[in-house]
């Protein structure tokens, strides 16, 4: 997760190829950002990981998105935002998969 404006920087990977269609929601894009949409479920547990060095998701933008989600979740009953970085770029390493499974098993009992 990152912020829309940062993902639309010149030459950003999401503006090229098939991924460009992901950004074509003009009626929605002008009103809310990705963290705001995710924030609609801020009263539910949320597990997010992003990789340092991910060319699709700029670290500064991901940090802003994580911060926005934490603010939206603050004060809601039962909210858990588990957001962190790993060092494997645009991948999901085995340890992140295991952490996600533990998170799900804990919160979906």
């Amino acid at each position: 997760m990152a912020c829309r404006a940062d993902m639309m920087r010149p030459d950003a990977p999401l503006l090229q190829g098939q991924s460009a269609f992901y950004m074509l929601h003009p009626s929605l894009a002008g009103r809310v950002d990705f963290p705001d949409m995710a924030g609609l479920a801020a009263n539910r547990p949320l597990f997010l990981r992003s990789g340092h060095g991910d060319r699709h998701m700029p670290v500064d933008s991901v940090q802003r998105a994580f911060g926005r989600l934490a603010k939206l979740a603050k004060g809601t009953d039962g909210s858990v935002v588990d957001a962190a970085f790993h060092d494997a770029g645009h991948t999901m390493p085995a340890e992140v998969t295991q952490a996600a499974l533990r998170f799900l098993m804990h919160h979906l009992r």
Side-chain angles (χ1 to χ4, degrees):
M1 164 149 340
C3 298
R4 182 183 312 274
D6 299 315
M7 292 169 35
M8 295 183 73
R9 293 175 181 162
D11 298 321
L14 286 178
L15 294 178
Q16 302 169 15
Q18 185 68 23
S19 296
F21 294 105
Y22 179 67
M23 306 306 278
L24 296 176
H25 302 285
S27 61
L28 186 60
R31 292 180 173 88
V32 297
D33 200 353
F34 295 121
D36 301 310
M37 287 187 276
L40 293 172
N43 63 335
R44 295 177 182 92
L46 181 62
F47 181 89
L48 298 166
R49 292 296 182 272
S50 188
H52 287 289
D54 182 342
R55 70 185 194 99
H56 299 283
M57 302 291 165
V59 170
D60 60 331
S61 186
V62 173
Q63 288 171 328
R64 276 195 300 286
F66 285 177
R68 176 77 177 134
L69 278 170
K71 286 180 185 176
L72 291 169
K74 188 176 182 178
T76 63
D77 292 337
S79 68
V80 175
V81 177
D82 184 343
F85 287 90
H86 59 75
D87 292 320
H90 192 72
T91 67
M92 186 167 176
E95 59 270 14
V96 173
T97 301
Q98 292 302 314
L101 290 171
R102 285 190 301 274
F103 182 89
L104 289 169
M105 290 182 346
H106 174 78
H107 291 287
L108 295 177
R109 288 185 207 165

